[in-house]
Structures are given as C-alpha cells and as structure tokens.
Amino acid sequence: MYEGAVQDLIDELGRLPGIGPKSAQRVAFHILEADAEDMKRLAAAISTVKDKVKFCEICFNVSEETRCRICQDERRDGSVLCVVEESKDVMAIERTRSFRGLYHVLGGSINPIAGVGPDQLHIRELLTRLSDERVQEVIIATDPNLEGEATATYLVRMLGAVGIRITRLASGLPVGGDLEYADDVTLGRAFEGRRSVI
C-alpha cells in the first residue's frame, strides 16, 4: 500500500477492465516516471472524450455528432444490418473491408450474472429499425462465448416473427491454426459451417 495520491491512482486504474492490481501499479509508476507534458495530454484526451463523445442516435456507435459517419454515409447498403455487442466490434468488422451495410450496437450482451438482461440492451431500438422495409437481412455478430450465444439465441427468437432473413457469423478454425490445438466447440463449429469448394 502506498500513500495518498499514488494509492488513489492505483485504485482508480485497478477499476478499469482487464487491469489487475499489479498492472495498475505498473501503469501508475509509469505515469509517475513519464514526462509531465505527455501525461497532461493523456489527461486532456480522457477529459475530451468524456465531454465530446456520445452515441449515434440511430445505431448507438460512438460518435462526436448525433449520427455516426457510417449512418451518414449514403453509399452504405441499408438493406443489410449487422448487430454487434460493442462499438469496438464495429471497428473490427470495418477493418476487414468486407461489409458495406449498416450496424446496430446493442451496448453489451445478455449476462444474468452481471445483471444485464435484454431490457438493458438496445433491442427495442433494433426492432424499431426493422420496421423500415429497406432492411432485408440481419447479421448477428455477437461474440462466440456464453453471453454472446445467449444474446444471439434471444435475438433469433425475437426477430423470427419479423419476416427478415437472419444470419449468424460463421465461426471455426483460425487461419494459421493447427487442428490438434482447436477446442471441441471450435472444431465442431468448423464442421457445421463447412462450405462446398467444388
């Protein structure tokens, strides 16, 4: 335990996701040893992002405007809607340059243990968006973990009556991976999602 401001900083850093006590201590001491101007820029960036960044009124992606740049882009295909858990998932998909449709960010996944149910997610807003007859397909791109699967299952049940094509991202073996190291679920999904090559 350290005194005063140093311990306060370690405690606050430790509250961040993915940062345990040792990492928080390492980051705190890095901040102490770093150039003061660099740390002032970091503090200003944190303050600015909290002041300026909000969520898009249509898809709930992060944006500095009321509508994100993707929702504003008229060249995007409005007939395909990709449903993701978080804004970082939008950026991951955008990096592939394989998808030219629109997005809907749920704001998390169903996780009863953490107290997150369907009502805490942007599912009602998704149903409202689907009343627009332009949407022909919904791609469910939630994480392939327990919470993501529960969310996908819930969405499939909810959207089944809407009459729109519903698809789920394929999952399976990573490029460059070895079969012997694949877990049973991943290998099973690879078999289920196999496709014809001839």
Side-chain angles (χ1 to χ4, degrees), residues 34-51:
D35 181 63
E37 288 304 311
D38 290 345
M39 293 304 101
K40 284 179 184 172
R41 279 195 303 277
L42 174 62
I46 292 170
S47 181
T48 300
V49 82
K50 289 305 292 177
D51 290 341

Side-chain angles (χ1 to χ4, degrees), residues 57-68:
E57 66 182 6
I58 296 173
C59 73
F60 300 97
N61 191 12
V62 291
S63 177
E64 290 188 24
E65 300 174 36
T66 54
R67 291 187 178 186
C68 71

Side-chain angles (χ1 to χ4, degrees), residues 21-23 55 66 75 85 89 96 101-102 105-106 108 121 152 154-156 197:
K22 292 214 183 264
S23 295
F55 294 99
T66 54
R75 296 170 297 176
E85 293 178 23
D89 301 327
T96 69
L102 299 174
V105 180
L106 294 173
L121 304 176
Y154 181 84
L155 289 173
V156 167
V197 291

Side-chain angles (χ1 to χ4, degrees), residues 183-196:
D183 63 271
D184 297 345
V185 174
T186 301
L187 197 51
R189 290 232 175 113
F191 271 100
E192 289 171 12
R194 69 189 184 278
R195 56 192 166 92
S196 176

Side-chain angles (χ1 to χ4, degrees), residues 22-191:
K22 292 214 183 264
S23 295
Q25 183 178 320
R26 254 192 318 277
V27 173
F29 278 96
H30 171 77
I31 290 171
L32 281 171
E33 295 165 6
D35 181 63
E37 288 304 311
D38 290 345
M39 293 304 101
K40 284 179 184 172
R41 279 195 303 277
L42 174 62
I46 292 170
S47 181
T48 300
V49 82
K50 289 305 292 177
D51 290 341
K52 284 188 174 181
V53 177
K54 46 191 164 278
F55 294 99
C56 174
E57 66 182 6
I58 296 173
C59 73
F60 300 97
N61 191 12
V62 291
S63 177
E64 290 188 24
E65 300 174 36
T66 54
R67 291 187 178 186
C68 71
R69 64 175 177 77
I70 294 172
C71 287
Q72 290 181 35
D73 188 349
E74 294 180 3
R75 296 170 297 176
R76 305 291 296 214
D77 181 0
S79 70
V80 184
L81 193 64
C82 184
V83 179
V84 297
E85 293 178 23
E86 305 286 348
S87 293
K88 61 187 177 191
D89 301 327
V90 171
M91 291 304 109
I93 293 170
E94 284 295 290
R95 278 195 305 271
T96 69
R97 299 174 194 242
S98 300
F99 181 68
R100 294 298 303 157
L102 299 174
Y103 294 92
H104 187 84
V105 180
L106 294 173
S109 58
I110 295 172
N111 186 347
I113 294 170
V116 180
D119 292 339
Q120 282 78 43
L121 304 176
H122 299 292
I123 294 175
R124 255 179 278 136
E125 294 87 348
L126 173 61
L127 292 171
T128 302
R129 286 183 78 183
L130 295 181
S131 63
D132 177 358
E133 294 184 9
R134 289 186 335 157
V135 179
Q136 301 297 311
E137 179 183 3
V138 173
I139 302 169
I140 299 174
T142 54
D143 290 340
N145 57 25
L146 193 62
E147 294 82 10
E149 291 297 325
T151 306
T153 302
Y154 181 84
L155 289 173
V156 167
R157 248 191 346 248
M158 288 287 295
L159 303 177
V162 178
I164 294 173
R165 181 174 182 227
I166 301 168
T167 57
R168 176 97 165 101
L169 282 188
S171 60
L173 299 170
V175 173
D178 293 325
L179 283 178
E180 64 182 299
Y181 299 119
D183 63 271
D184 297 345
V185 174
T186 301
L187 197 51
R189 290 232 175 113
F191 271 100

